[in-house]
Amino acid sequence: MIDFSPLKAKLLLDYPFFGTIASGMESVVNDNIESFTTREGKFEYREGYMEPLSEGEQMFALCNAALHEALSHTARRGNRSPWLWNMACDYAINTLLIESGFTPPPAITYDKRFGNLSAEEIYHELSLEFLDQEQNDRDGDEGRDDDGLDEKLSRAQREKRSAEALDKSDPLSEAIHRLIQSNKKSLIDWRSELREEIGGYYVSDYTLIPPSKKLLYDGFYLPGVHSRHLELAIAIDSSGSVDEVLLTQFIAEVESITELFGSYTIDLMVCDDKIRSYERFERGESITYTLSGGAGTDFRPVFELIESWVYRPKLLLYFTDLEGKFPLYEPPYDVLWIAPNIIDVPFGRVIVLKDEND
């Protein structure tokens, strides 16, 4: 096991921000990984990778781990693909470290085009670039919402240590604050957030023969997609409280979804206090709209209609102002409410539809 204490002491003297966080992280040998990683406040590394590195390269690895902690990257991942999110975080972190003069170890994740972008923004760019590879990893995200008291306490202590580190005078204070503020802004617009959510619901067949060519040059063998097909239900609120401008935005985004994802089966419902129209569109078929309504808002007819189907969707997108009557029970599928304002909902998640000028 490598003794990192001399490097941590050097960081405390030269770069107090990194030294404070790195000193509080346990170092753990893990020979099942390629190089090094950060997991729940621990710096994990493979000895065969870390031992040949120079002092400067090992220091780079410790600083990388410290920034992962300070930026709460694990907690901020949400429903994003784990491997793609980790790649985006490393791009953001490693760019700052390299531009600040640290010596990078071999084969790290770096691209100067991501210079001033947050992890969220980089993830968005990568998801467009590697959309064929991105899988729905929600089921593998175990225990995220059910952390025990010890884990919650540990996380709170780590966050406190990161906050204290930010108060220290550091040669890189300005760059670190800029990166942290960039991440806090969450500049990804609501459309990108929506498309990332929908992207996890592809029905796909993955195969390694042939492998995806996207990352072969970096030595990554990722599954290629044999076929890809999006299946979801969409409901549009046509009640009197939804004005023409908002209704136009709803339709425009439905059109954008179909253009982006290409192959799809979409069950489209228009509803105010009752179902006004329902049609199914498949495999690139152009979507047409029968928009009528103007009465009050009742969400229950949409859920009752879906209940009558033989095959229920994995995801329902409901475009609405959220001013209506909700079902008494949560349905056995995911629900995304796309609305102009954030309002408490009994189930599902709200994505706020923002104006271009917001």
Side-chain angles (χ1 to χ4, degrees):
M1 186 171 180
I2 300 172
D3 181 11
F4 289 104
S5 55
L7 283 181
K8 291 179 179 179
K10 184 174 176 58
L11 281 173
L12 279 170
L13 290 174
D14 297 340
Y15 300 96
F17 170 82
F18 293 111
T20 299
I21 298 175
S23 296
M25 298 180 70
E26 180 185 357
S27 299
V28 178
V29 175
N30 183 349
D31 288 329
N32 294 318
I33 59 178
E34 287 295 320
S35 53
F36 58 91
T37 190
T38 307
R39 202 185 331 259
E40 298 299 338
K42 298 176 182 178
F43 172 62
E44 299 184 9
Y45 64 94
R46 184 168 65 86
E47 280 191 305
Y49 173 87
M50 194 63 61
E51 283 180 341
L53 298 184
S54 67
E55 179 181 285
E57 290 170 335
Q58 290 183 354
M59 188 175 293
F60 186 103
L62 289 174
C63 291
N64 173 286
L67 275 175
H68 271 291
E69 273 289 284
L71 296 170
S72 303
H73 279 158
T74 301
R76 286 195 356 244
R77 194 190 89 203
N79 288 325
R80 297 179 178 92
S81 167
W83 69 267
L84 200 59
W85 173 243
N86 190 64
M87 185 186 297
C89 294
D90 273 331
Y91 271 127
I93 287 172
N94 292 340
T95 298
L96 181 146
L97 293 176
I98 289 173
E99 291 180 353
S100 299
F102 286 88
T103 304
I108 64 150
T109 302
Y110 170 71
D111 192 326
K112 63 181 180 181
R113 68 190 168 108
F114 295 133
N116 295 315
L117 300 182
S118 68
E120 281 82 1
E121 291 171 300
I122 296 171
Y123 181 90
H124 173 59
E125 294 296 321
L126 292 176
S127 68
L128 297 178
E129 198 170 327
F130 302 119
L131 188 60
D132 285 351
Q133 283 76 41
E134 191 173 2
Q135 304 179 43
N136 180 18
D137 293 290
R138 299 163 192 257
D139 292 340
D141 192 17
E142 297 177 358
R144 294 185 67 85
D145 295 325
D146 300 310
D147 292 330
L149 181 60
D150 289 344
E151 174 53 36
K152 290 179 179 177
L153 179 60
S154 173
R155 187 183 301 121
Q157 291 171 336
R158 301 199 309 269
E159 290 174 355
K160 183 175 182 290
R161 184 168 63 239
S162 296
E164 291 172 349
L166 279 173
D167 292 333
K168 297 183 181 295
S169 177
D170 191 290
L172 297 181
S173 290
E174 184 178 347
I176 293 167
H177 278 278
R178 186 173 64 247
L179 180 60
I180 289 175
Q181 289 304 315
S182 176
N183 280 275
K184 283 183 178 179
K185 288 179 182 177
S186 300
L187 294 177
I188 296 302
D189 66 7
W190 69 273
R191 291 179 179 84
S192 299
E193 184 181 3
L194 174 60
R195 289 165 196 175
E196 286 171 10
E197 288 281 355
I198 295 173
Y201 292 87
Y202 270 129
V203 178
S204 305
D205 294 322
Y206 291 88
T207 176
L208 283 170
I209 306 175
S212 166
K213 297 178 181 179
K214 296 274 189 178
L215 293 179
L216 282 180
Y217 65 89
D218 269 346
F220 291 96
Y221 287 82
L222 295 174
V225 176
H226 176 65
S227 65
R228 190 179 68 208
H229 187 74
L230 178 68
E231 296 181 355
L232 75 160
I234 297 177
I236 295 178
D237 181 355
S238 64
S239 63
S241 59
V242 175
D243 61 29
E244 186 175 345
V245 173
L246 190 54
L247 195 58
T248 300
Q249 286 182 286
F250 290 167
I251 295 171
E253 190 51 35
V254 173
E255 293 289 337
S256 179
I257 290 168
T258 60
E259 290 174 7
L260 179 63
F261 293 97
S263 178
Y264 53 77
T265 298
I266 292 178
D267 291 287
L268 180 66
M269 295 157 282
V270 176
C271 179
D272 49 10
D273 62 350
K274 63 182 179 181
I275 301 293
R276 297 293 179 173
S277 67
Y278 162 56
E279 289 188 70
R280 168 171 284 197
F281 301 92
E282 299 187 89
R283 301 191 181 279
E285 182 181 0
S286 296
I287 291 185
T288 57
Y289 303 89
T290 304
L291 297 174
S292 60
T297 307
D298 192 337
F299 303 121
R300 294 173 296 181
V302 165
F303 293 89
E304 290 167 0
L305 176 60
I306 294 175
E307 181 72 22
S308 70
W309 297 348
V310 175
Y311 299 104
R312 293 173 190 163
K314 292 183 178 180
L315 173 66
L316 167 66
L317 301 184
Y318 210 127
F319 290 86
T320 176
D321 60 4
L322 287 176
E323 298 177 5
K325 298 177 181 178
F326 291 88
L328 293 177
Y329 303 103
E330 180 176 356
Y333 46 84
D334 293 335
V335 179
L336 283 178
W337 307 91
I338 296 85
N341 298 295
I342 190 74
I343 295 176
D344 287 337
V345 292
F347 54 80
R349 194 166 79 82
V350 178
I351 291 180
V352 178
L353 185 154
K354 299 175 184 176
D355 185 83
E356 297 291 343
N357 298 319
D358 285 353

